[in-house]
Amino acid sequence: MLTTWIIIGLIVLAVLWIIMIYNGLVAMRQRVNQAFSDIDVQTKQRHDLIPNLVETVKGYAGHERGTLEAVVQARNAAVTAQSGGVAAQAAAENALSGTLRQLFALSEAYPDLKASQNFLQFQTALQSTEDELQLARRYYNGTARDLNTAVESFPSSILAGIFHFAKVQFFEIDKAS
């Protein structure tokens, strides 16, 4: 009789342990999804600022058509890439960051543009959005690291395989970004 209770107790403990590991994996996956959603929110804000910034620059440096078109094309590519997954979105955002750097470097050659209140407001808003985006990326990468570690670590790797939990990609940016 005592042996039966011990076996039942061990089975109950094993089931509880499996439930805890499974729920932990689900919670980690949800944090990753929420963190990626935070990146989407910040990138959408960034994308919304860019057309106004380009229009402001156009008023002062309209003949810099190549740079302005590159920014618009990079922005459009980044908007399109939002549905393409982490790697595609990271690559598009890296390209957009590069063209924005060119645009801000261009402002150095135009003192009137650099002194424009509209330009300064857009530049400040964009910098604030960039800071929030950097925080969102860091948080996402932290949650991705936690999930990837759980998916690869024993014993949770066994349940991760059974319930089809997979590793997620990090949101990697260029060193210059």
Side-chain angles (χ1 to χ4, degrees):
M1 187 63 148
L2 181 62
T3 308
T4 305
W5 285 111
I6 291 174
I7 292 173
I8 291 173
L10 290 175
I11 291 172
V12 167
L13 284 175
V15 168
L16 289 175
W17 177 71
I18 289 170
I19 290 170
M20 284 179 31
I21 290 176
Y22 177 80
N23 287 342
L25 289 168
V26 168
M28 284 183 242
R29 183 172 55 196
Q30 291 305 317
R31 281 193 294 274
V32 167
N33 291 339
Q34 182 263 328
F36 192 72
S37 178
D38 290 348
I39 291 173
D40 272 348
V41 167
Q42 295 304 322
T43 56
K44 285 177 185 168
Q45 286 179 349
R46 179 188 196 199
H47 299 158
D48 290 345
L49 287 171
I50 291 171
N52 296 327
L53 180 65
V54 168
E55 286 302 314
T56 301
V57 173
K58 233 185 242 182
Y60 290 91
H63 58 279
E64 297 286 352
R65 185 173 230 83
T67 302
L68 296 173
E69 287 176 359
V71 171
V72 170
Q73 288 174 354
R75 179 221 181 244
N76 292 341
V79 168
T80 303
Q82 282 189 305
S83 60
V86 176
Q89 189 172 353
E93 291 298 326
N94 287 333
L96 180 57
S97 293
T99 59
L100 286 173
R101 276 194 299 279
Q102 291 174 350
L103 183 67
F104 289 126
L106 179 72
S107 72
E108 297 296 322
Y110 296 92
D112 291 342
L113 173 61
K114 199 171 168 184
S116 164
Q117 204 57 34
N118 280 346
F119 180 75
L120 292 175
Q121 285 175 342
F122 286 124
Q123 190 175 23
T124 301
L126 194 57
Q127 185 57 50
S128 174
T129 302
E130 292 286 343
D131 292 344
E132 292 295 322
L133 184 55
Q134 181 182 18
L135 291 173
R137 287 174 180 157
R138 284 183 181 171
Y139 180 70
Y140 171 82
N141 284 339
T143 59
R145 178 203 57 228
D146 293 344
L147 178 62
N148 291 346
T149 300
V151 166
E152 291 182 331
S153 298
F154 182 80
S156 59
S157 62
I158 296 168
L159 288 178
I162 293 170
F163 293 109
H164 307 290
F165 286 89
K167 288 176 56 177
V168 294
Q169 291 181 316
F170 290 104
F171 200 106
E172 296 182 30
I173 58 171
D174 290 339
K175 302 292 186 242
S177 295

